[in-house]
Amino acid sequence: MTSKQINSLLRSYADGTISKEDFDILISHFRLTGNDAEILAAMDDIWHSLNAHEFLAPEDVKKSIFKRLTEQTSGKNDLKIKQLKPWYRYAAAVLVVAAGAAIYFTTQSPANQSIAKRYKNDVKPGFEQATLTLANGKVVNLSQANNQGTIQEHGVSIQKGADGTLLYHYDAGQASSNADTSHNTIKTPRGGQFQVVLSDGSHVWLNTASSLTFPVNFTQQNRTVKLTGEAYFEVAKNAKSPFLVITDKQQVKVLGTHFDINAYADEPVTKTTLLEGKVSVVTAQKSTTISPGEQAVFANGNISVKTADLEEAMAWKNGLFLYNQQSLENIMRQVSRWYNVDVVYEDQDVKNQLFSGALSRFKNISEMLEVLETTGSVHFKIEGRRVTVMQ
């Protein structure tokens, strides 16, 4: 189905004119693809082509729409609805439910001027970009690399797939004696993110301002990678060869599982969140094992385990900013990395204010800051790539 067809169906769905046949087609498409980012992009296009005030509605109306649409898309067809928490309680928002995704778009009152006009500058969001450092030291700009181009290194072919993911394919017949010891590094800048499928079939999503160092080919004894920043891993199962992720403060050991590690140097804690399987988290002081739905938190030399907010932990991978009573300081660290801006505070006390909300990561920074400003307790000024936070 083309983007134009998707947008047309979503538009008719939003205004209530969609036929049962078209509705079934729309649901089937997103159920098969499971692509929340595609839903988000389509709804974002539609949103910007319409007048926001046409969709403003009281809270009870929004709740009623949410209930009706949720009932439509759940039931006997076993389509799972990923319901986000009721963020509309915290900010003026329009709720759109489409094929299993609950997405909130902030609105302006009709009397308001364009958001961008409220700031001297605006900053576009991050995008897919990274560099690859080969074993010989050569640096390849993955943002510009031809999708059809192939790099051969020690019996491993490296190329970008049609969707931009970097793919490693090991050919035993072409392998050299250095294949197991040669390492590559993928690094995303601030304002970048990237995906790579390693030679063992493990899929890694790398968040902004992060790096992953890994062997060109893994040995049968062990699979070890080094991470700075944040990444989500879907590790290929191999009972004979454990997968080890090393950060500056801990090691995470798995056999085959889905998990996220947030290990930014400027964050006060390191978080390991498990979605599937089982992982062992090892620090200099302690070792612990976590189960699906749990999060290991390493802070001040101690490690603890708690129930994870999976939606919040995985929001970045799903193309969202999503916060549940997060401090402004924590939020602005993520904003700084994703938009590649420097953040300064006129008043240090404002850092501790708590916020909850959700917004697409693919909106300009002005719209992100507008969400925070709806509380009336904080304001922002953008000058170039410098954001000043004010009360």
Side-chain angles (χ1 to χ4, degrees), residues 20 65 107 111 121 136 144 170 199 220 224 241 296 337 356-357 381:
K20 179 63 167 63
I65 293 173
T107 67
N121 305 98
N136 62 9
Q144 300 174 354
Y170 177 68
S199 60
Q220 287 300 313
T224 301
S241 179
R337 288 191 290 261
S356 294
K381 179 171 62 176

Side-chain angles (χ1 to χ4, degrees), residues 183-201:
H183 287 70
N184 285 182
T185 297
I186 292 181
K187 184 176 182 179
T188 57
R190 295 208 306 173
Q193 61 182 21
F194 214 78
Q195 298 180 45
V196 58
V197 176
L198 305 176
S199 60
D200 69 333

Side-chain angles (χ1 to χ4, degrees), residues 161-219:
D163 64 351
T165 301
L166 195 67
L167 307 172
Y168 278 69
H169 177 70
Y170 177 68
D171 184 348
Q174 299 295 322
S176 74
S177 58
N178 295 324
D180 296 338
T181 58
S182 297
H183 287 70
N184 285 182
T185 297
I186 292 181
K187 184 176 182 179
T188 57
R190 295 208 306 173
Q193 61 182 21
F194 214 78
Q195 298 180 45
V196 58
V197 176
L198 305 176
S199 60
D200 69 333
S202 295
H203 195 157
V204 185
W205 286 257
L206 205 59
N207 200 356
T208 185
S210 302
S211 70
L212 185 74
T213 299
F214 52 93
V216 173
N217 182 56
F218 295 104
T219 67

Side-chain angles (χ1 to χ4, degrees), residues 24-37:
D24 289 340
I25 292 173
L26 184 65
I27 292 298
S28 296
H29 170 75
F30 286 119
R31 179 167 55 181
L32 288 172
T33 62
N35 195 337
D36 287 357

Side-chain angles (χ1 to χ4, degrees), residues 313-333:
M314 297 308 303
W316 72 269
K317 177 182 173 291
N318 295 327
L320 294 172
F321 284 110
L322 196 155
Y323 307 109
N324 183 14
Q325 291 294 288
Q326 287 288 317
S327 72
L328 182 62
E329 184 177 22
N330 288 345
I331 293 171
M332 293 309 294
R333 277 199 298 269

